[in-house]
């Protein structure tokens, strides 16, 4: 596709116009007096308010612009992605915006709500048996259709301009400017592709901020072991927290940009999701619970050392997507076990 292609110009213009119609996401202070009294403030950036309801809306926009400007997408191209749900929801939105067919390749365990959202935006869902099968199946479908495999796991860390251009890191620091501790001591994220931790890690180094990046890693994910050893050949069973954690080391996870990993048990992720939902008066998704466990771990460490400062993380998506699963007590008990003790323990940490 030639750079002067009228279709290319129109496609980029549509995405940019959609961006101009969108407001930034809110920064929510968490009212936790037990930490505030020690000079420690916690915040969540609410990514659930994007048009497609999750943090992945930013990634999908960047991936589409990256593919368009590289000449990989053409008029009529079938867009294919390997995704457990949220990225696919967002990519389906942008594919429909450009009038392109979209196919999401995902595990059968993906929540019915996410499948319904992909289909609402005009996408088609192709289900496979396990998370490890999505890559080759997505490549095969792209080859069969003459389309393009977006491959979020490779391109997430390079599709976003980490120096600025309203990436999530720039937005965070702008919104924190008038807070008690405007430069966070820690920013906590989960990792699915690794793109968000890479963007934030590069940005804080570029801006010379005294901020460290922590990745909250759910049980079954390979990232923590890879961060510890540097062995990219490692594999793991895969995470049961939808949207984060991977069974293999993804190319977009850049370990040198991550200062600390916090391993989080499944019952703790779900328990923290419940506790945080009660505190906020609204449901959050399970990956936000994983982030919250790491935030509390860091906050307690700071308090014990007599340190003050702010900790910032992400509210990745809303809990309504998970009503039949992570908000269903029978499903949680059968899949992950009893979360009662973990919920009481995490709630006690806030008092």
């Amino acid at each position: 596709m030639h750079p002067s292609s009228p279709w290319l110009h129109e496609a980029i213009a549509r995405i940019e116009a959609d961006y101009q119609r969108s407001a930034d996401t809110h920064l929510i202070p968490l009212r936790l007096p037990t930490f505030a009294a020690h000079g420690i403030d916690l915040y969540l950036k609410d990514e659930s308010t994007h048009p497609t309801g999750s943090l992945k809306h930013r990634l999908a926009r960047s991936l589409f612009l990256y593919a368009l400007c590289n000449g990989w997408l053409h008029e009529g191209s079938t867009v294919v992605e390997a995704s457990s749900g949220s990225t696919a929801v967002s990519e389906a939105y942008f594919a429909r915006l450009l009038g392109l067919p979209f196919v999401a390749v995902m595990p059968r365990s993906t929540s019915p709500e996410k499948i319904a959202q992909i289909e609402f935006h005009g996408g088609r869902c192709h289900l496979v048996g396990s998370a490890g099968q999505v890559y080759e199946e997505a490549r095969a479908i792209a080859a069969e259709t003459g389309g393009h495999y977006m491959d979020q796991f490779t391109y997430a860390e390079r599709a976003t301009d980490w120096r600025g251009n309203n990436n999530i890191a720039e937005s965070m620091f702008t919104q924190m400017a008038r807070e008690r501790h405007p430069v966070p001591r820690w920013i906590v994220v989960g990792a699915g592709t690794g793109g968000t931790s890479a963007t934030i890690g590069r940005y804080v180094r570029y801006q010379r901020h005294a901020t460290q990046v922590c990745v909250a890693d759910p049980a079954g994910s390979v990232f923590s072991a890879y961060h510890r050893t540097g062995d990219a050949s490692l594999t793991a069973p895969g995470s049961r927290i939808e949207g984060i954690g991977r069974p293999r080391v993804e190319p977009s996870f850049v370990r040198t940009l991550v200062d600390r990993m916090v391993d989080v048990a499944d019952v703790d992720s779900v328990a923290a999701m419940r506790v945080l939902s009660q505190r906020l008066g609204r449901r959050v998704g399970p990956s936000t619970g994983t982030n919250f466990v790491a935030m509390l771990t860091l906050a307690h460490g700071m308090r014990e050392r007599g340190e003050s400062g702010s900790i910032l993380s992400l509210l990745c998506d809303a809990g309504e997507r998970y009503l039949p699963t992570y908000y269903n007590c029978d499903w949680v008990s059968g899949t992950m076990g009893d979360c009662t003790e973990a919920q009481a323990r995490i709630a006690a940490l806030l008092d």
Side-chain angles (χ1 to χ4, degrees):
M1 181 171 53
H2 193 274
S4 63
S5 159
W7 182 85
L8 173 62
H9 290 182
E10 176 63 19
I12 293 174
R14 288 186 184 184
I15 292 176
E16 290 298 285
D18 180 80
Y19 171 71
Q20 292 299 321
R21 293 191 294 267
S22 300
D24 199 1
T25 58
H26 296 288
L27 186 69
I28 302 171
L30 294 177
R31 307 298 181 188
L32 301 176
T34 185
F35 293 115
H38 294 270
I40 302 169
D41 301 327
L42 280 67
Y43 299 84
L44 289 172
K45 187 162 175 58
D46 185 3
E47 295 293 287
S48 72
T49 57
H50 284 293
T52 52
S54 82
L55 165 67
K56 299 300 186 181
H57 193 84
R58 295 180 189 267
L59 172 60
R61 181 195 294 127
S62 295
L63 288 169
F64 267 82
L65 288 173
Y66 193 70
L68 287 165
C69 293
N70 278 323
W72 297 340
L73 278 181
H74 308 272
E75 185 173 8
S77 293
T78 296
V79 181
V80 185
E81 185 59 283
S83 170
S84 63
S86 288
T87 302
V89 173
S90 298
E91 287 190 16
Y93 171 92
F94 284 103
R96 186 173 69 171
L97 185 68
L98 304 186
L100 302 177
F102 177 75
V103 180
V105 182
M106 60 182 66
R108 296 187 193 281
S109 59
T110 302
S111 69
E113 285 71 23
K114 285 188 178 177
I115 292 172
Q117 287 178 330
I118 293 164
E119 293 174 344
F120 171 79
H121 290 297
R124 177 170 68 86
C125 298
H126 181 89
L127 304 180
V128 297
S130 68
Q133 296 176 277
V134 296
Y135 314 99
E136 291 307 317
E137 195 69 13
R139 290 190 184 92
I141 292 173
E144 290 166 7
T145 61
H148 173 61
Y149 171 33
M150 288 294 248
D151 194 1
Q152 59 166 327
F153 297 107
T154 295
Y155 297 109
E157 57 87 10
R158 65 197 73 171
T160 299
D161 182 358
W162 46 269
R163 286 170 288 264
N165 191 28
N166 195 40
N167 67 49
I168 192 169
E170 182 183 56
S171 177
M172 286 174 166
F173 281 89
T174 299
Q175 291 179 316
M176 286 289 294
R178 297 185 184 276
E179 300 302 314
R180 176 164 63 159
H181 305 292
V183 176
R185 292 292 298 268
W186 289 97
I187 295 178
V188 177
V189 298
T193 61
T196 302
S197 59
T199 295
I200 294 170
R202 288 168 177 153
Y203 183 85
V204 297
R205 286 159 177 76
Y206 180 62
Q207 296 293 339
R208 301 181 300 281
H209 289 310
T211 300
Q212 292 183 283
V213 177
C214 172
V215 167
D217 207 33
S221 172
V222 75
F223 288 135
S224 186
Y226 169 58
H227 184 266
R228 187 172 59 254
T229 65
D231 184 355
S233 68
L234 292 172
T235 59
S239 167
R240 289 184 290 190
I241 303 301
E242 194 168 309
I244 57 172
R246 299 299 302 165
R248 72 171 197 181
V249 177
E250 303 296 353
S252 280
F253 184 81
V254 184
R255 64 189 285 268
T256 53
L257 295 172
V258 177
D259 298 293
R260 178 171 174 179
M261 305 288 297
V262 173
D263 296 328
V264 182
D266 289 336
V267 291
D268 286 352
S269 290
V270 176
M273 174 193 78
R274 294 173 178 173
V275 171
L276 182 57
S277 294
Q278 291 169 355
R279 289 280 172 151
L280 294 176
R282 51 179 287 202
R283 292 187 179 96
V284 303
S287 60
T288 304
T290 309
N291 289 344
F292 191 44
V293 172
M295 293 178 79
L296 294 176
T297 300
L298 294 170
H300 273 271
M302 288 174 62
R303 188 172 69 179
E304 289 173 359
R305 293 187 298 271
E307 299 172 357
S308 61
S310 55
I311 302 172
L312 173 57
S313 190
L314 302 174
L315 195 166
C316 305
D317 59 5
E320 281 68 23
R321 292 181 170 183
Y322 308 99
L323 295 181
T325 52
Y326 298 91
Y327 280 93
N328 182 315
C329 292
D330 291 337
W331 184 90
V332 169
S333 295
T335 306
M336 300 177 181
D338 186 2
C339 297
T340 305
E341 184 277 329
Q343 189 169 340
R345 171 168 41 82
I346 290 170
L349 294 176
L350 308 185
D351 298 327

